[in-house]
Structures are given as structure tokens and as C-alpha cells.
Amino acid sequence: MDKIQVCFLHAIFLSKIKESADNVELAGGKKGGAEKVKPGSKAQPQSEAPAKLSRPPKKAPVSKDVSVAKKGKPGAAGGPGAKSKKPGETKEIVETELSVEVCDELAAAVLPASCVKMLDSSNWKERLASMEEFYKVVEQMDISEMPCQALVRMLAKKPGWKETNFQVMQLKLQVVAVVAQRGRFSKTSASVVLDALVEKVGDVKCGGKAKDALTAIGEACSLSWISEQVVSLAFAQKNPKNQAETLNWLANAMKEFGFTGINVKAFINHVKTALGASNPAIRTAAISLLGTMYLYMGASLRMFFEDEKAALLAQIDTEFDKMQGQTPPTPTRGSTKRTGGQEEGEESKEQEEEGSAGDIMDFLPRTDISDKITEDMVSKVGDKNWKIRKEGLNEVAAVLSEAKFIKPSLGDLPITLKGRLTDSNKILVLQTLSIMQQMATAMGPSLKQHVKTLGIPVITVLGDIKNTVRAAAMATLNSWVEQTGMKEWLEGEELSEELKRENPFLRQEVLGWLAVHLPTMRSVPSDLMLCVPPLFGCLEDRNVDVRKRAQDALPVFMMHLGFDKMNKATGKLKPASKDQVVAMLDKARAVMPAKSAGPAKAAPTMPVASVPPAKALAALSKTQAPIEDSAVAEPKADPKKVKPGALPAKGKAVAGKKPLGKGKEEEGKSGPIFTLVPNGKDLRVKDEKSLKVLKWNFGSPRDEYVEQLKVQMAPCVAKWLQEELFSHDFQHHIKAINSMIEVRPYAYIDFQH
């Protein structure tokens, strides 16, 4: 080799030494450099150590873990509530495993010599002093110079994780947490300490610090990854205390991090093992974890445990019942926290407002059952013989039960099931509703594609005359909305067409359902405007319950559509109807809830309790045995009691009579002469207290009292009748009174209000 080649290699070697030495921090926090290191000085061995990493196997990991610059304030992450990485920085850090020798050299380059020396001292006080100094250094270390893997490996130096002094052990666990919070902490670094952390989770004095360290690693490496590792390690150790506390930590971590990315399938077997444990603490922790998971997964979670013993399943159901109505807490850790300053995407907003499970349910393993939905099965479901139809429905239910979680491919089954919703045999209707609830749980958010074909027809069932059938239909409808959200149900004209049906049961149920769900939405499709005309029609419905539901729904419609749009829509109404509807709109505007403020205070409870179809079917089966289609008779309507504002058949006829004789003068006098104004008396009393109206207190009526009475009577008395009552001709008064006497048995009910 000639002199030129030797000089060239020598220059490369020196440049490598200088490059590595520039990244070394000497004891005391001073920067080192090849040109500043004097021969024979104490710093020389430390500056030479990283030069060994210039060899191919060692160079890459050092550059990824040590030399990547990152800004950070010293000491900013030392506290329990300290923020870790930059907002929005979620890119995974990749790192190869380093040898023990390399880790020792890297750690020695950033830790004081006295700290390294006393780590394995036989005197616990010296070990404690060493860890205190260790903790102080990593808390103040420049993030760009923190060799995470090397530092956590140093903690395993004898006695390592077998440390008997709890104060020293607590500091070791705190160091892990700080390094994970502040450094570029990788899964490789995490793997070095996870086993030791899980061993300490159940420790009385150190368990809390161990959980804090696991949480910090979860923020650095994602909860979805660390949770699988931790649970697997805990159940491999066979330590009951550690297993129970690991499950408790995971339940709390899910609330802090959220559920996104969690691999449900990875936990199910471990949770089942925990449920079968002899230690009661493990079983309790497992059930508590299931309760937390239920907040995110809903009823779908139960399907994994339907094969458990009845007593255990009852405990699980009790825990799920506790979670009913609760919403998952807002995540405070992980990627959600790191991107907290950024705006959410429109898609995520829609998912949140619809209340659907979103991509959480996508992590469930799903089965394609399209090949099991055979032509023979579909043919049976649509057969003319009710017994064969029932047999086909049983086969469908069995396929769904076996698959548990399914893909949305169902072939021709949805169209065939739609026909069973109008089956003349009510038992088969209830069975179909039960199957549809199974579908909702099994299919999850993918159910959206079946809303128009199979979901909307459930609304028609809400008009059934039987309470049990309506209750089962409402339970099915709510189970679908839980998975799909409301958006798909409001798009198009299908819902408005249902409201146009002059069926009091259907109108009550649908309006009550909308009054509950609309306030929970941030925005609605423009097609909701199509429901306004039938809503106005419901305000004048003959059934008092329909009118009440329509009045309750007005404010929540208005919160999305606005007063101006709804007021403009009254232009197509008849003059008499328009005046009444406009008055109700003015009243609704005063109680209109704010958007995204949750369910409106005035939102009614559902007209009938939602009863699962299976229970309704069991109740109906006791009174109605399966019979041939030809023998199935539609049940007769229950006798209706007279309600305020709802005139019976006789009353309607009398109210619609032309009471003042015959001829042209009677034109325009058809229809009811009285109209119920909701809470009319209460509003009048309120106006009197606020001095908005004259009190009814006088010796002889003056003109202002007469005009006020006209205004107060206008909304509740037919126009022609009011003209007769306020006529200057006494004979007209007599005619008006005679007309009221004819409907007296029913009219007095209205006047009570």
C-alpha cells in the first residue's frame, strides 16, 4: 500500500473519530470534540468509545437513537403531568438491538463516572445516591443526546431488577418513565424493561411507579402494542397479584388513551383465562376491564362470552348494565393528546356526532356468511306456509349466532327479511326483529349499507297496533342506530314518507324517536327539510299524543333547520292552519336547544319501552300459539279513551256539523270548532304575572278587555264561531251557544286546558 492510500485512510479514520466525538457529552454536561481532547486526559477514553460504532453493524442504531436532533426544555418532562413529544409527532421510532458492551459505552458517555460506579454497590445507600444522580441527569439531559436503550439497560446492572431496597427500585422505575417520556424511545428499548415492569406491577410499594412507567412507554410506543405485550407477559408469569393489577392498569389506560388501535382479539383469550381463575381478584379485574371495553364496543362485546357459565355471564351483564348510558371519556394521552392542537378531520367529526363505533369495530375478526345464506334458506324465509317461514328464520338466526361477527355480504336475505316485517303472523314479525338485532350486533358499522333496504321498513312496524310489536321494533331501530348513526336514516325521502302515513302509533313513535336523537347530532342532511310538512300536519293531528310529540319535536328540528326556514315552509299551509303553526314555531324558538348541547331538556321519553324482540316474542307466544296463515286474524283495536283534544268518532261528527243552518252562509264552517292549545292556561298565567296582559278583573268589560279575549280565543276556536260569539247581534250569540252545546260532552275537555 503506497503512502497516498495510507494518508487517505488515515484522514477518513480521523473524520469518523471527530464526528462521533462531537456527539459525546462529558461528565458535567460539557460537549466533547476530537480537536479538544488532549492526549492523556480523562475524557479521551470516552471520546474514543463511540468511534467503535463507525463499523457497519454498530453505526446505524447509534445514528437513529442518539444523533437525531430534537428540541426540548430541560426538566420539562420530569413531573407527572409533563408533556412528552412534539404535538403531531406520531412516527414510529425504529431501532436495532445494541450489544451490552456498546450500551455500557454509550451510557458511560452521558452519565457521571461516580453514578456508574455505584450502581452495583453492595451498600444500598450508595446505590440510592447513584440512582438519585442517574434520575437527575436524565431529567435534565438534552433529548438529542439521550441513548434510551443504553440507559434502560444500565438499570439491569447487578442487582438490577432484583433490587431489595424499595427506594432504589422506585427510582429505577421513575428513570424508565422519564426516559420514555423525554427520549426517542423505541419498542426495542421497551422490550428491555417490560418483563421487569410487569413483575413489579403487583408490588405493594412499587406497583404505582411500575404502572406509571408502563403508561409512559404506552405514550412512546402506542397502547395497542404495549398492552398486548404486557398482558401476555403477566399471564406467562403465573403471579395472581401481577395478573390482576395488569388488567386494572389496562382498564385505566384504555380510558386515558382511548380505544383506537386496540386489538380486541388479542385480549379475549387472556380475559377468558382470567374469568376462569381461582383468584377472585383476577376475576374482578377481568370483569372490570370488560366494563371499560363495553363503553367502546357496546353489546358486540358480549358475543365473545355467550358460552360462559350462567353465573359468570350474569356478573358480566351486571357490569355492562352499570355502563349503560355512559360515554367513553375523552382521551388525554397517546396520539390523540399529541395532536390535540390540530383540527380534526371532517370524517372523524361525522363519526363522533353519529355516535357510531367507527373503526373500533373494524378490529373485530369478521366472517363472510354469504356462502351460508343459501337459496334454499332464502326460499324458506319467503315461503307461503308460515311453518316453513319460521323454519327459515330459525336457520338464519343459527348462522348469525355461529358466526358472531360478520361481514356485510348477505345476498338476497335483506329483501326477503323485509317481507317478514309485514308478516300476518306477529310471532314471525317479532322473530324477524330479533334477527335484525342480531345483525346489528354482528355486523357493526357496516350495517349502514342495509339501512335503506331493511332498516327503514322497521319504522313501518312502529305503526303496529300491538304494544309488544311496537316496543320490539323500537328496540331494533335503536340497536341499528347505535351502529350506523343517524345520518343514513335522514337522507332521502323515506323518513318523510313514513311520517305522512296517517297512523297515530307510527307518528308518535317516530316523532318521539327524532326528538331524542336529533339533539345529539352536530349537523343533519338537508333532506330533513322534507320532514317539515308532515311535521306541521302532525301538529294538527286528531290524536292528542301525536300533537304532543310533534310539539316536542319542533325545537329540535328548529335547532338544525333554523326558524326562518321552518317559518317559510308554513306558506303552503291554509290560512287558519298557518296562524296556529306560526304561533307554535314562536313558542318553540323560545325553548330551542343549542347545537351539540346533548339531548334537549324537553325531549320526551320514548312512547313505549324498548323491549328486545326475544322477550316480546316470549310474551306473545304465551297468548298466541303458532297458527296457519289463513287463521291469523288481525287483532282488534283496544277501545280508546277520550283524551284532551282527541274527539271520538261521535264527537268528530258533531264537531264537523254545520250548526247554524243550511245554505251558502255555512260554507267554510266544516271541521272541528275547538282546537287544543298546549299549556294555554299556563302561558296565560305566566303572561299575567309578567304583566304582559290585562288581568281579568273589572266591573264592566271595556273595549281593551274584549280585544284581548278575542286574541286569546283565536288559536283555540274556529274562526266562524268566534265571529258569531263577538257579533253585535244577540241572535248570533244564541246560534254559537247552541253549536257549542251540541259538542258539549267533548268540548268541555278542551276548555279545561
Side-chain angles (χ1 to χ4, degrees), residues 349-355 481 484-491 495 513-526 528 556 559-560 593-600:
K349 286 184 179 180
E350 287 183 4
Q351 287 183 351
E352 181 181 349
E353 72 186 31
E354 291 173 0
V481 172
T484 66
M486 283 291 293
K487 183 180 177 183
E488 276 70 21
W489 300 83
L490 302 178
E491 290 178 336
L495 185 60
W513 174 68
L514 289 173
V516 169
H517 288 284
L518 286 180
T520 65
M521 302 180 68
R522 289 184 179 177
S523 61
V524 297
S526 59
L528 181 64
V556 295
M559 71 178 282
H560 290 295
K595 277 191 178 183
S596 302

Side-chain angles (χ1 to χ4, degrees), residues 66 243 455 675 697:
V66 179
Q243 291 175 359
T675 303
N697 185 15

Side-chain angles (χ1 to χ4, degrees), residues 322-336:
K322 293 179 184 177
M323 301 298 170
Q324 287 286 354
Q326 296 187 32
T327 56
T330 303
T332 57
R333 296 184 182 273
S335 59
T336 304

Side-chain angles (χ1 to χ4, degrees), residues 22-23 65 182 189 211 221-222 226 286 391 412 422 480-481 524 536 550 558 569 571 594 616 626 628 650 672 690:
D22 286 339
N23 291 321
D65 187 48
R182 302 192 67 240
S189 299
K211 290 178 181 178
C221 303
S222 82
I226 189 178
E391 182 182 340
D412 295 331
T422 56
W480 274 53
V481 172
V524 297
F536 288 165
M558 195 179 295
E628 295 293 341
K650 179 180 178 182
S690 59

